[in-house]
Amino acid sequence: MWSQTLLGACLLLAAPSVAADTCQAPINHPGEPFSNVQALNTTILSTYGHSPAVLPSPNMTGNGGWETAMKKAKRFVNKLTLEEKSWMATGQPGPCVGNVLPIPRLNFTGLCLQNGPQCVQQGDYSSVFVSSVSAAASWDRQLLYDRARGLAEEHKAKGSHVILGPIGGPLGRSPYDGRTWEGFAADPYLTGVCMEETINGMQDAGVQANAKHFIANEQETQRNPTYAPDANETTYIQDSVSANINDRTLHEIYMWPFANAVRAKVASAMCSYNRVNGSHSCQNSYLLNHLLKGELGFQGYVMSDWGATHSGVASVESGMDMTMPGGFTLYGELWTEGSYLGKNLTQAVQNGTVEMSRLDDMVVRIMTPYFLLGQDKNYPSVDASVGPLNVDSPPDTWLYDWKFTGESNRDVRANHSAMIRQHGAASTVLLKNERNALPLRKPRNIIIAGNDAGPLTQGPDLQGDFEYGVLAGSASSGSCRFSYLSTPLDAINSRARKDGSLVQSFLNNTLLTTADLTSPLWIPQQPDVCLVFLKSYSAEGEDRTSLELDWNGNAVVEAVANNCNNTVVITNSGGVNVMPFADHPNVTAILAQHYAGEETGNAIADVLYGDANPSAKLPYVIAYNESDYNAPVTTAVRTNGTYDWQSWFDEELEVGYRYFDAQNISVRYEFGFGLSYTTFGLKDLKAKSSALSNLTALPAKRPTQPGGNPALWEAVHTLEAEVSNTGDVSGFAVPQLYVEFPDSTPAGTPPSQLRGFDKVWLKAGQKKTISFDLMRRDVSYWDVVAQDWRIPAGSFTFKAGFSSRDFHATKDATLIKA
Ligand SMILES: *[C@@H]1O[C@H](CO)[C@@H](O)[C@H](O)[C@H]1NC(C)=O
Ligand SMILES: *[C@@H]1O[C@H](CO)[C@@H](O)[C@H](O)[C@H]1NC(C)=O
Ligand SMILES: *[C@@H]1O[C@H](CO)[C@@H](O)[C@H](O)[C@H]1NC(C)=O
Ligand SMILES: *[C@@H]1O[C@H](CO)[C@@H](O)[C@H](O)[C@H]1NC(C)=O
Ligand SMILES: *[C@@H]1O[C@H](CO)[C@@H](O)[C@H](O)[C@H]1NC(C)=O
Ligand SMILES: *[C@@H]1O[C@H](CO)[C@@H](O)[C@H](O)[C@H]1NC(C)=O
Ligand SMILES: *[C@@H]1O[C@H](CO)[C@@H](O)[C@H](O)[C@H]1NC(C)=O
Ligand SMILES: *[C@@H]1O[C@H](CO)[C@@H](O)[C@H](O)[C@H]1NC(C)=O
Ligand SMILES: *[C@@H]1O[C@H](CO)[C@@H](O)[C@H](O)[C@H]1NC(C)=O
Ligand SMILES: *[C@@H]1O[C@H](CO)[C@@H](O)[C@H](O)[C@H]1NC(C)=O
Ligand SMILES: *[C@@H]1O[C@H](CO)[C@@H](O)[C@H](O)[C@H]1NC(C)=O
Ligand SMILES: *[C@@H]1O[C@H](CO)[C@@H](O)[C@H](O)[C@H]1NC(C)=O
């Protein structure tokens, strides 16, 4: 329960260094009628723009196994001067993308914070793993864990203490969001599992994970304020977009994966660029103090996104524990000692504005994961080679004399490439396969077409939307430095050579769409198969403007398919592509790859030739038309008021497939869909034991642990079903369980919500019994009045099958009597 309120939100304004947004009620949203029922209630409407203040910031307790490490952290903090404490909470320019200063007196070598979710961004001789959206498409817990562990081993060997990931938001509210590929699935349950496995993998390797971006960072457009150009980024023209979300939606959709992250004992969380209900995320005490540290029992530290801090005392009191990169301006424009924290924080403690106990808690939170993961013992030093690769704070901006020990340009790749190749194949979704197009059977005559098949010809670093070369990663903070790149062109050529096939390649999209392909020069003889490789680029900093394949990809498919009766399309994209060509009779197969890392070529060849049986499933919906999607990104406001950028999450729970199901809109390929070279059956869905007769609607109130009330995470109902391989080859089945809530659940509850899945290997003809453990949270909705998770009375329908629209068995059960 939150206390409303010791200090009103507006009283915070009296504190120093507070950006003046806290008291605004920006309910002006021109051109965007706020259409849900609550909009008609002006009392509720006017509360948007005011996240209620919840103060003070809770101390960490060490609950959940952190007690010993917390004691060590407290002993460490006791030895610090006030100034040292302030700087522990304040970044500094240095070799890593984020740096906490060393304290040589205490043998503390500082903290190195590095991007990113797919690789060591500033790492030469390091691996490029499959992207996060690819990993999510595998629906494979072990893969997610292994990937994260391998990635973290490389980070550790380069000296990173903290990896800036994984990403639980953007969650895919809008398919146009430029960053969805850095996150997982357009579904909180699947994303929650991905968060948990990734955090476990990273932290088991000894590196701190960072759950970002908290919260509702669902668009790139206007994620940061626009500043007056000549004012050193201190005067706003317009403030960042405000995500206006109601309580139930926040809990059931956007916070859900962060609850999994906290339960996995994530070391840190990153507050996001956007505002939520009008207040900047990094100074929103309701979000940080009440929800994250209070309700979810988060024990780690909250760090700001880079430049997301807009106040000093207000942010500190609101629960932010570390500001990054530490200067008060955005990227590299101006690196000075100036920071909202740093010396200002020292002063604020000295003059009594901030209590020393608050600062102590900040530093204890920062140092506990360090001791918990043994980073105080023989941790690898920061590799000197990362510094010059740092675009955020290059060496000429450093104020501190950073010392480097150990080998430079360390090769940290180990044998990860074999795993990355397997992961690439396991993450490739087979969407269409007709007339036995795939797997390929020693085709004699192959055409490779499209600008996504070949090598990168415009530099190693994917900064900018380049035209030529396979897109195996993307740009900005999630970008990677490839040490080599297996391309489809290479991989298919080397297979084809073994088979004695003829291979001809046409990699220029402009030529493909303008040339006369009927000429024998173009489509010679009758090819056995035409493999068309296409892509779409998306990256941090801007949203997509189209869901079509880039560089005229649809026209390339048409041109080839009009002349080739066995056209196989392979996409490499950050997320959704609409696929009008899927209806073309000569398009016999479609494979959706995402940014699949350094082994992308070998991985796709493994799938095309049948060495790997595809098993991935879409982590989002592919609609027929772009206009079928809801929740568009807010791209413009028609007024020029400072606080006018508003994004109204008035679709509420209807995010992704939940919307298409609720509105009964037919789709081209649904969430959870993906083919295999074999076929599967599922039957006999039943309860493993009868429903507990003593189950209560609300959970017993037990002391909060990381993840919240532990009662929410207890299995309350277990179902099982028989899954069988009904085809001729071995493969992985991905049985999925969706829940339809009883009629007594409040309006707006989506018809089907994913609440369980498994990935099981089955030989041809083999059967296995699988089970789905439903935890209390899985069968509850967020009751906004009780401020708790409530299991509704009445009959649930559990639906099991192989996608969100392909149910093979259903089972009704009442868990709570009316
Ligand atoms: C508006 O919402 C408030 C707070 O939930 C409630 O007390 C009030 O009755 C509502 N008014 C109307 C007209 O529905
Ligand atoms: C945002 O405002 C809505 C509507 O008043 C409320 O339901 C929700 O709890 C608020 N959330 C935050 C984080 O302030
Ligand atoms: C945190 O702990 C300190 C003592 O260690 C105490 O003085 C302070 O009041 C506590 N703060 C909160 C918010 O409980
Ligand atoms: C720092 O390390 C040295 C060498 O290992 C050791 O002698 C010294 O006691 C350490 N100092 C502290 C404060 O831990
Ligand atoms: C911006 O910062 C630079 C460097 O510190 C300074 O010279 C200049 O006067 C500042 N401009 C404004 C408008 O504050
Ligand atoms: C304190 O913060 C302000 C921004 O509010 C900044 O201008 C100033 O440089 C900071 N002071 C120090 C000493 O860092
Ligand atoms: C305390 O210090 C802060 C940070 O420098 C400053 O902004 C604030 O005005 C000071 N308050 C008082 C009461 O001196
Ligand atoms: C691709 O083809 C177009 C049209 O012929 C041509 O203008 C362009 O230079 C070609 N690109 C490359 C890299 O050859
Ligand atoms: C399919 O490809 C064949 C060539 O193999 C071509 O003759 C035919 O017109 C194509 N069909 C369509 C609908 O384009
Ligand atoms: C394409 O056409 C050729 C002959 O025109 C035929 O042998 C072959 O089976 C066709 N391929 C497909 C996939 O339909
Ligand atoms: C905002 O727009 C109005 C109407 O176009 C104009 O009069 C006003 O000067 C603008 N204000 C700013 C700060 O640009
Ligand atoms: C409910 O019943 C189960 C099984 O009969 C038992 O294990 C559990 O302790 C009971 N819970 C409570 C709160 O009584």
Side-chain angles (χ1 to χ4, degrees):
M1 241 12 57
W2 47 276
S3 60
Q4 170 155 6
T5 164
L6 303 171
L7 274 177
C10 293
L11 284 181
L12 279 171
L13 268 178
S17 313
V18 179
D21 73 295
T22 326
C23 291
Q24 294 295 325
I27 54 171
N28 166 18
H29 43 107
E32 288 178 284
F34 188 58
S35 59
N36 69 26
V37 177
Q38 292 184 1
L40 305 173
N41 185 326
T42 51
T43 309
I44 291 178
L45 185 59
S46 66
T47 64
Y48 275 109
H50 302 267
S51 243
V54 183
L55 299 165
S57 189
N59 286 331
M60 81 174 283
T61 59
N63 279 351
W66 287 21
E67 295 84 354
T68 310
M70 186 178 77
K71 281 198 189 111
K72 288 187 191 170
K74 284 190 168 168
R75 277 203 295 273
F76 178 86
V77 172
N78 283 339
K79 295 181 195 153
L80 299 178
T81 64
L82 167 59
E83 224 188 4
E84 284 167 342
K85 289 177 192 173
S86 299
W87 284 108
M88 290 283 311
T90 311
Q92 272 275 324
C96 303
V97 69
N99 304 276
V100 170
L101 285 180
I103 304 176
R105 179 171 65 80
L106 299 174
N107 291 345
F108 174 63
T109 55
L111 296 177
C112 166
L113 285 55
Q114 290 285 48
N115 291 317
Q118 193 178 356
C119 58
V120 184
Q121 186 207 10
Q122 295 170 214
D124 55 4
Y125 305 98
S126 54
S127 306
V128 182
F129 294 79
V130 300
S131 66
S132 304
V133 67
S134 303
S138 76
W139 296 58
D140 184 336
R141 290 176 172 84
Q142 189 67 46
L143 182 156
L144 284 150
Y145 178 90
D146 293 344
R147 167 184 174 271
R149 187 157 186 156
L151 171 66
E153 284 164 0
E154 297 198 10
H155 268 277
K156 179 171 178 179
K158 286 279 184 192
S160 330
H161 298 90
V162 183
I163 299 175
L164 300 172
I167 293 178
L171 190 86
R173 172 180 184 253
S174 166
Y176 292 90
D177 184 295
R179 265 190 120 168
T180 40
W181 61 279
E182 296 184 59
F184 297 107
D187 174 77
Y189 183 90
L190 178 53
T191 297
V193 170
C194 295
M195 292 294 274
E196 214 163 318
E197 295 294 345
T198 302
I199 290 160
N200 287 337
M202 287 176 173
Q203 297 196 165
D204 285 354
V207 187
Q208 303 182 35
N210 172 250
K212 67 187 194 182
H213 307 87
F214 196 77
I215 196 168
N217 191 168
E218 297 293 322
Q219 65 175 68
E220 292 298 282
T221 309
Q222 196 71 13
R223 64 178 183 164
N224 277 311
T226 37
Y227 296 92
D230 59 347
N232 286 340
E233 305 194 343
T234 50
T235 311
Y236 296 164
I237 297 174
Q238 287 192 308
D239 205 347
S240 51
V241 66
S242 176
N244 301 324
I245 308 188
N246 70 35
D247 194 30
R248 184 175 177 204
T249 305
L250 192 68
H251 277 84
E252 293 186 28
I253 304 286
Y254 300 98
M255 237 171 85
W256 181 291
F258 287 94
N260 291 67
V262 174
R263 183 161 179 263
K265 302 194 176 125
V266 69
S268 62
M270 184 187 284
C271 48
S272 56
Y273 283 129
N274 56 288
R275 294 178 293 151
V276 176
N277 284 9
S279 269
H280 283 287
S281 300
C282 295
Q283 62 188 63
N284 189 320
S285 61
Y286 187 82
L287 290 179
L288 304 182
N289 288 342
H290 170 56
L291 293 177
L292 184 59
K293 292 181 176 177
E295 189 179 307
L296 298 184
F298 174 60
Q299 294 295 305
Y301 55 101
V302 176
M303 83 170 72
S304 72
D305 203 339
W306 268 232
T309 308
H310 297 287
S311 65
V313 173
S315 297
V316 165
E317 302 287 11
S318 297
M320 188 191 77
D321 302 300
M322 179 190 273
T323 187
M324 279 291 162
F328 59 86
T329 61
L330 291 178
Y331 299 103
E333 299 263 342
L334 180 72
W335 281 95
T336 71
E337 276 184 88
S339 169
Y340 288 110
L341 270 53
K343 288 179 187 167
N344 277 334
L345 180 54
T346 301
Q347 243 174 48
V349 173
Q350 277 165 343
N351 72 20
T353 310
V354 169
E355 286 192 37
M356 182 69 95
S357 64
R358 171 69 191 112
L359 178 55
D360 284 346
D361 183 58
M362 291 161 71
V363 186
V364 170
R365 283 174 178 273
I366 291 165
M367 288 306 288
T368 299
Y370 174 86
F371 288 112
L372 182 81
L373 299 177
Q375 295 187 334
D376 55 325
K377 296 198 186 76
N378 299 322
Y379 205 75
S381 61
V382 174
D383 186 331
S385 64
V386 306
L389 299 177
N390 183 356
V391 293
D392 283 340
S393 57
D396 63 359
T397 64
W398 299 352
L399 305 167
Y400 179 83
D401 182 16
W402 297 90
K403 302 265 189 275
F404 297 97
T405 57
E407 191 193 336
S408 184
N409 303 90
R410 287 167 217 161
D411 185 341
V412 299
R413 291 171 289 184
N415 59 353
H416 291 149
S417 64
M419 173 175 87
I420 295 169
R421 178 173 181 165
Q422 275 171 17
H423 290 183
S427 299
T428 301
V429 192
L430 178 63
L431 294 172
K432 180 177 181 181
N433 190 15
E434 287 175 2
R435 287 186 269 147
N436 284 321
L438 296 179
L440 300 176
R441 280 162 293 264
K442 293 187 192 269
R444 287 213 13 102
N445 182 346
I446 303 171
I447 298 236
I448 299 177
N451 67 352
D452 189 55
L456 300 174
T457 55
Q458 294 171 27
D461 200 0
L462 307 182
Q463 304 288 348
D465 46 342
F466 60 96
E467 181 171 355
Y468 291 95
V470 60
L471 204 49
S474 190
S476 202
S477 72
S479 67
C480 295
R481 184 167 296 268
F482 288 90
S483 56
Y484 77 97
L485 176 57
S486 159
T487 68
L489 189 65
D490 290 345
I492 290 161
N493 265 306
S494 76
R495 294 284 178 135
R497 192 171 310 162
K498 286 187 204 143
D499 293 347
S501 327
L502 172 76
V503 182
Q504 298 173 82
S505 46
F506 305 91
L507 309 185
N508 184 328
N509 280 13
T510 313
L511 272 179
L512 282 162
T513 50
T514 51
D516 175 14
L517 298 197
T518 59
S519 151
L521 280 176
W522 277 94
I523 304 278
Q525 301 158 26
Q526 183 55 247
D528 295 317
V529 63
C530 299
L531 304 171
V532 187
F533 290 89
L534 297 162
K535 61 189 168 187
S536 21
Y537 170 88
S538 66
E540 181 178 356
E542 59 186 349
D543 294 311
R544 295 168 69 184
T545 53
S546 163
L547 302 180
E548 300 201 340
L549 290 163
D550 290 338
W551 289 284
N552 219 0
N554 291 345
V556 171
V557 179
E558 285 291 318
V560 174
N562 288 345
N563 298 284
C564 176
N565 71 350
N566 191 19
T567 299
V568 174
V569 179
I570 302 102
T571 63
N572 262 294
S573 295
V576 173
N577 286 123
V578 287
M579 299 185 168
F581 49 79
D583 296 324
H584 196 296
N586 284 352
V587 173
T588 50
I590 303 175
L591 288 155
Q593 265 192 312
H594 298 97
Y595 302 149
E598 66 188 26
E599 284 288 327
T600 187
N602 287 326
I604 196 66
D606 289 344
V607 171
L608 290 169
Y609 282 83
D611 294 348
N613 185 351
S615 60
K617 311 292 161 199
L618 282 180
Y620 50 72
V621 173
I622 296 184
Y624 281 104
N625 307 297
E626 291 201 24
S627 57
D628 292 346
Y629 290 95
N630 67 338
V633 162
T634 301
T635 54
V637 290
R638 290 183 200 117
T639 52
N640 59 10
T642 309
Y643 304 103
D644 287 354
W645 278 84
Q646 307 295 326
S647 179
W648 297 90
F649 285 42
D650 52 1
E651 73 288 347
E652 302 189 334
L653 304 176
E654 290 185 10
V655 173
Y657 66 88
R658 289 164 168 76
Y659 165 72
F660 289 92
D661 292 347
Q663 305 299 327
N664 212 2
I665 299 168
S666 53
V667 301
R668 191 177 290 284
Y669 301 119
E670 71 271 18
F671 176 86
F673 173 76
L675 299 168
S676 162
Y677 295 150
T678 186
T679 50
F680 300 104
L682 183 152
K683 60 177 191 180
D684 295 342
L685 180 67
K686 54 178 190 283
K688 201 162 177 180
S689 54
S690 54
L692 293 173
S693 59
N694 59 3
L695 204 60
T696 53
L698 294 176
K701 295 237 181 289
R702 307 223 322 250
T704 302
Q705 290 288 318
N709 183 346
L712 297 173
W713 302 92
E714 283 165 2
V716 294
H717 194 56
T718 299
L719 292 147
E720 51 183 34
E722 186 192 279
V723 187
S724 56
N725 183 335
T726 53
D728 327 315
V729 290
S730 307
F732 279 107
V734 180
Q736 301 163 35
L737 183 77
Y738 293 81
V739 174
E740 188 176 328
F741 278 75
D743 295 339
S744 72
T745 318
T749 306
S752 302
Q753 306 201 68
L754 181 70
R755 288 293 187 260
F757 67 89
D758 203 349
K759 188 154 185 172
V760 266
W761 178 255
L762 292 167
K763 292 190 199 126
Q766 197 183 359
K767 295 177 181 156
K768 277 185 189 162
T769 300
I770 49 128
S771 61
F772 302 105
D773 273 337
L774 292 159
M775 294 180 285
R776 177 177 275 277
R777 185 182 64 154
D778 296 330
V779 289
S780 299
Y781 67 91
W782 179 252
D783 181 333
V784 295
V785 177
Q787 286 288 295
D788 209 342
W789 291 93
R790 180 186 293 277
I791 304 177
S795 181
F796 284 86
T797 302
F798 299 105
K799 306 182 278 196
F802 296 111
S803 83
S804 60
R805 291 194 170 183
D806 178 27
F807 302 128
H808 291 233
T810 64
K811 178 78 191 150
D812 291 348
T814 297
L815 303 180
I816 301 287
K817 308 247 165 355

